[in-house]
Amino acid sequence: METPPGKEGLTILRRLLAYSEKVFQLSKTVIAGVVDRRPQPRIPTAIIVKSVAVLFWARMGSLNALEQTAHSGFFQSWLGQSVCSADSIGRVHALMDAEGLRRGIHYIYDRLKRNKALPDNRGMAIAALDGHESHASYLRHCPGCLERTIHTGKTERTQFYHRQVTLMLLPGARPGCKPIRLLLDHEPQRPGEDEVATALRLLERVIGSYPRAFDLVLADALYSTAPFFNFLLAHGKHALVVLKDERRHLYQDAAGLFACVPSQEGTFRC
């Protein structure tokens, strides 16, 4: 952050922080609501959250890369101290309360919606649902890890990994601006559970918190199951799912209904 090529990026980062404080009251409202389970914390949780926010905004590759900039003058003004070690940041994040983060995201969503920054996309409010694998290891694992067997030649190895299902809002773009992509929430997949079951648990929580944030859910072929469609229909939502392989039962049911319903002439906006 001290090299000449980084000065322009540092200026942009300072502008982003100033904008976040002015519009979203980032430190006072969003970050202050995040807590962790440490009984007597020596390092305030806000210091950790602010540090990692810069990590993502500056697109640093890892916590170790963040630690290498610990003594930058930028952090002295932004945090009031140097950045903590990578081990401390990782340890505190593992103890953070997710509800505080969810409340902060909801507050940001409310502000963006009030500022007309989340217009409909082609006349509909759209969200995308998908599973993502965050990391994998052959050596380290925890009680929440999923397991799979990897075949390498004539040997088999057990790999431990984490996967979560995320729901992202995909609004349209305002005139002259790029569209905003807002992550509403995510849910970790539990051992012995498939991705669709995780997604249904996530959707139930998100729809309760954001009942009018989206009308249509986009998903891949893995979600072309009756429980997924029935859940969305019961909550007044639409679904757009890829159909492939041999799972065409929903397509066959729809084709049967089309054959019984007469077509209607009209004009429709694309």
Side-chain angles (χ1 to χ4, degrees):
M1 300 177 77
E2 299 298 334
T3 58
K7 289 184 177 180
E8 182 179 357
L10 187 58
T11 300
I12 295 175
L13 180 59
R14 287 196 173 103
R15 290 177 180 174
L16 176 60
L17 292 174
Y19 178 85
S20 300
E21 294 290 0
K22 178 181 178 180
V23 177
F24 302 108
Q25 293 79 49
L26 182 66
S27 299
K28 181 180 179 181
T29 304
V30 178
I31 295 178
V34 181
V35 297
D36 61 76
R37 299 194 301 273
R38 292 175 296 166
Q40 294 180 333
R42 184 174 61 87
I43 304 171
T45 309
I47 296 295
I48 303 297
V49 178
K50 285 184 174 182
S51 300
V52 176
V54 172
L55 179 146
F56 282 101
W57 284 336
R59 297 185 179 182
M60 299 182 189
S62 64
L63 293 178
N64 291 323
L66 176 65
E67 185 178 1
Q68 292 176 3
T69 65
H71 300 291
S72 168
F74 166 81
F75 285 111
Q76 291 293 337
S77 61
W78 170 235
L79 304 178
Q81 64 175 66
S82 300
V83 177
C84 304
S85 67
D87 290 339
S88 296
I89 294 176
R91 176 175 53 85
V92 174
H93 264 81
L95 299 174
M96 280 187 186
D97 181 16
E99 288 303 318
L101 294 170
R102 292 189 179 109
R103 287 193 296 269
I105 293 174
H106 201 297
Y107 175 81
I108 293 174
Y109 165 81
D110 288 338
R111 296 294 298 179
L112 290 172
K113 196 69 175 179
R114 189 176 298 114
N115 293 341
K116 310 297 182 182
L118 302 175
D120 289 344
N121 195 337
R122 297 182 181 272
M124 299 192 72
I126 302 175
L129 184 72
D130 199 7
H132 299 273
E133 185 175 317
S134 57
H135 56 276
S137 173
Y138 290 105
L139 302 177
R140 303 180 65 180
H141 64 93
C142 67
C145 278
L146 307 176
E147 298 182 18
R148 61 190 170 200
T149 301
I150 303 297
H151 300 274
T152 56
K154 296 182 179 180
T155 62
E156 295 182 352
R157 301 180 66 186
T158 299
Q159 188 180 64
F160 306 96
Y161 65 101
H162 278 239
R163 177 185 291 137
Q164 57 275 341
V165 179
T166 61
L167 187 70
M168 179 173 290
L169 200 62
L170 306 178
R174 294 185 298 170
C177 301
K178 293 183 178 181
I180 295 175
R181 298 293 179 255
L182 180 62
L183 177 66
L184 292 182
D185 204 343
H186 82 174
E187 181 70 17
Q189 185 174 335
R190 299 170 181 172
E193 180 182 57
D194 63 9
E195 187 175 315
V196 177
T198 306
L200 293 178
R201 187 169 65 251
L202 170 64
L203 285 169
E204 186 172 6
R205 182 175 66 241
V206 172
I207 291 176
S209 301
Y210 302 86
R212 301 176 62 184
F214 56 90
D215 308 307
L216 173 67
V217 177
L218 307 180
D220 58 25
L222 183 66
Y223 294 89
S224 59
T225 62
F228 179 73
F229 278 87
N230 290 335
F231 177 88
L232 291 177
L233 289 174
H235 289 80
K237 307 296 181 182
H238 302 282
L240 183 59
V241 177
V242 177
L243 294 178
K244 63 180 182 180
D245 300 328
E246 298 300 326
R247 292 179 293 179
R248 297 183 175 271
H249 301 293
L250 292 172
Y251 177 81
Q252 293 171 355
D253 291 343
L257 292 175
F258 294 156
C260 302
V261 178
S263 59
Q264 297 181 1
E265 296 183 1
T267 57
F268 303 94
R269 184 179 62 181
C270 296

